[in-house]
């Protein structure tokens, strides 16, 4: 296996996301690899993503537009908290089912490594919420490093 040159770091914008980005950057540093941080917004199953969201004084926007704009601001803030990262760092927000969208990006972008967090849910919560990390680990074409991140309180 060769040294990684492109590392994909999917984040869910929870408190543990910063730890995932920091870890990916530290892994990338010795190899001069680039880190690509991505957040995937998954449209709710029972609500149309083109549902309009409006409030007095606002222009009407679709639920998807509001969600993507909000996630982009949060991701940009998170990434900019890194003071002059020692490796090339990019970020973006995608729309789609999280696991398949991340796997598609990993294939298309020819990433060598995926670094992501896992909440370590078990039992009914895992059954109901699924495990994005588990799906990615089982289907990714490249190695996947998972970090146990503390659940939000």
């Amino acid at each position: 296996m060769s040294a990684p040159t492109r590392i994909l770091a999917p984040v869910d914008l929870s408190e543990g996301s910063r730890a995932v980005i920091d870890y990916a950057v530290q892994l990338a540093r010795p190899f001069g690899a680039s880190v690509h941080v991505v957040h995937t917004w998954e449209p709710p199953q029972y609500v149309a993503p083109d549902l309009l969201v409006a409030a007095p004084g606002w222009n009407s926007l679709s639920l998807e537009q509001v969600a993507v704009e909000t996630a982009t601001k949060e991701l940009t803030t998170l990434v900019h908290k890194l003071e002059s990262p020692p490796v090339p760092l990019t970020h973006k927000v995608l729309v789609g089912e999280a696991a398949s969208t991340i796997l598609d990006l990993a294939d298309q972008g020819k990433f060598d490594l995926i670094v992501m967090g896992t909440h370590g849910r078990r039992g009914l919560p895992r059954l109901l919420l699924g495990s994005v990390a588990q799906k990615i680990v089982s289907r990714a074409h490249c190695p996947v490093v998972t970090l146990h991140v503390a659940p939000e309180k």
Side-chain angles (χ1 to χ4, degrees):
M1 183 166 98
S2 60
T5 58
R6 294 175 48 84
I7 298 174
L8 181 61
V11 296
D12 62 2
L13 301 177
S14 68
E15 289 179 23
S17 295
R18 175 65 190 264
V20 170
I21 296 170
D22 288 343
Y23 196 83
V25 167
Q26 293 308 315
L27 280 176
R29 176 185 258 165
F31 304 110
S34 58
V35 175
H36 304 270
V37 181
V38 65
H39 171 73
T40 304
W41 179 73
E42 191 169 334
Q45 289 183 340
Y46 302 107
V47 178
D50 58 350
L51 172 77
L52 294 180
V53 177
W58 285 12
N59 292 330
S60 297
L61 297 172
S62 71
L63 175 62
E64 183 173 316
Q65 287 174 306
V66 171
V68 169
E69 285 178 16
T70 302
T72 301
K73 286 177 188 173
E74 287 182 39
L75 184 59
T76 301
T77 300
L78 182 64
V79 168
H80 286 308
K81 286 182 180 177
L82 296 173
E83 295 178 20
S84 55
V87 297
L89 185 71
T90 62
H91 65 281
K92 66 179 167 182
V93 173
L94 301 173
V95 176
E97 190 273 321
S100 62
T101 301
I102 292 164
L103 288 164
D104 288 345
L105 178 62
D107 288 340
Q108 294 167 2
K110 299 187 181 354
F111 288 94
D112 307 303
L113 179 66
I114 300 172
V115 176
M116 64 185 304
T118 180
H119 297 287
R121 292 184 184 102
R122 299 197 185 284
L124 189 58
R126 180 175 176 188
L127 180 65
L128 294 175
L129 299 173
S131 172
V132 173
Q134 189 276 329
K135 291 174 187 171
I136 291 173
V137 166
S138 66
R139 298 184 352 213
H141 74 282
C142 63
V144 180
V145 173
T146 60
L147 304 171
H148 180 73
V149 292
E152 293 184 22
K153 295 175 182 177

